Amino acid sequence: ILVTPLDVIKTRLQAQSNPFSKGKCFVYSNGLMDHICVCENGNSKAWYKKPGHFKGTLDAFVKIIQIEGIKSLWSGLPPTLIMALPTTVIYFTCYDQLSEALKSRLGKDDEHIPVLAGSLSRFGSVTVVSPLELIRTRMQYRNLSYNQLYTCISGKVATDGWFSLWRGWSSTVLRDVPFSAIYWYNYERFKKMMCKEVGAHEPTFFIAFTSGAASGSIAAVITLPFDVVKTHRQTELWESETLKIPQRDCTSTWAIMRKIVAKNGITGLFAGIIPRLFKVAPACAIMISTYEYGKSFFSHLNEKMNQ
């Protein structure tokens, strides 16, 4: 909810310099998750209609509020929440359960625990939600009824098999699993260090917020090349799926990386680093600090009720 306006503004700024044509795909992200969106026509999707003449981020922020109202800054939030809720529920539940299971086997202070638990929980949540993302995007593009959608999906499964529902899954895993491993490893380290410094037995809201922002920033920078590749692969996949445009020859992750480096140099793999940091750092900080606070609150509440 808090980070969505940043991506609405970024998408609108991109749209005025490079307007989206009918059928064109673009990635809509809120810092926590990405969604592929397909342009139906110039005015159908609120987050890129009326490209306007914005001079920069602040100018876009002011003009969108003045001309379209403050609600426009949260355009595209409902589909984001529909996907974000099951993903985060699976992700955090799995992380906590795996952490506890690994602590009983490897010992409480083993540094491998956050890496293993973070990687496996992200792998599971991405795998479960991947078909939902494909179905949601298909509904968005073709405006299908549920019966039409069922016919469409069952026809595709009959033709290409069940694995066709997980197309684009590998590129998501390549980015999100390393991100989670790096994020949780650094988060647990920063949290322990800061708790030790202030003499706290459990993390305060500030400790969790600061640790989440720092670890999220580190993970975002290290995994950015995979994020760039994921964007390329997803948009190519959806142009192929929806417009029947044949996919280009180089579809493997490493082939796309080589192509980007050949065209734009090594800096091409780190395109969009500033907006990614602006979104991911506060998103990770807000999510982990509210989660830790919620855990602490309900834990103390349960203790009081049991006394």
Side-chain angles (χ1 to χ4, degrees), residues 112-287:
H112 296 99
I113 290 171
V115 176
L116 288 168
S119 301
L120 290 169
S121 57
R122 195 61 176 179
F123 183 88
S125 63
V126 166
T127 303
V128 171
V129 175
S130 191
L132 296 178
E133 171 68 6
L134 182 141
I135 290 165
R136 189 193 65 81
T137 309
R138 188 153 290 188
M139 283 187 80
Q140 180 189 20
Y141 177 66
R142 293 183 187 170
N143 197 22
L144 301 172
S145 68
Y146 287 107
N147 285 335
Q148 289 171 321
L149 179 68
Y150 175 76
T151 305
C152 178
I153 297 296
S154 58
K156 185 165 181 60
V157 168
T159 307
D160 302 325
W162 283 101
F163 287 111
S164 62
L165 296 178
W166 278 268
R167 287 197 69 186
W169 168 85
S170 60
S171 56
T172 308
V173 165
L174 273 172
R175 185 201 62 177
D176 287 359
V177 169
F179 180 96
S180 291
I182 296 161
Y183 172 77
W184 285 108
Y185 174 75
N186 285 307
Y187 173 73
E188 297 290 355
R189 280 189 65 200
F190 291 149
K191 186 173 74 171
K192 279 180 189 173
M193 283 166 53
M194 291 182 77
C195 283
K196 198 175 178 182
E197 284 288 319
V198 300
H201 293 294
E202 59 181 41
T204 62
F205 187 88
F206 175 76
I207 288 172
F209 191 93
T210 308
S211 303
S215 52
S217 299
I218 293 165
V221 171
I222 293 172
T223 59
L224 187 60
F226 293 110
D227 185 51
V228 172
V229 171
K230 178 176 176 282
T231 302
H232 275 261
R233 292 192 73 180
Q234 279 191 313
T235 50
E236 282 184 16
L237 169 66
W238 281 107
E239 283 175 5
S240 168
E241 287 279 319
T242 57
L243 298 179
K244 306 302 178 188
I245 297 171
Q247 277 191 286
R248 291 157 205 163
D249 291 336
C250 76
T251 53
S252 77
T253 300
W254 307 114
I256 293 170
M257 278 187 168
R258 285 197 298 271
K259 186 182 175 183
I260 292 167
V261 170
K263 189 178 179 182
N264 302 316
I266 198 76
T267 54
L269 292 174
F270 292 89
I273 190 167
I274 300 300
R276 180 157 162 80
L277 279 174
F278 269 120
K279 287 183 297 179
V280 172
C284 287
I286 292 163
M287 188 165 72

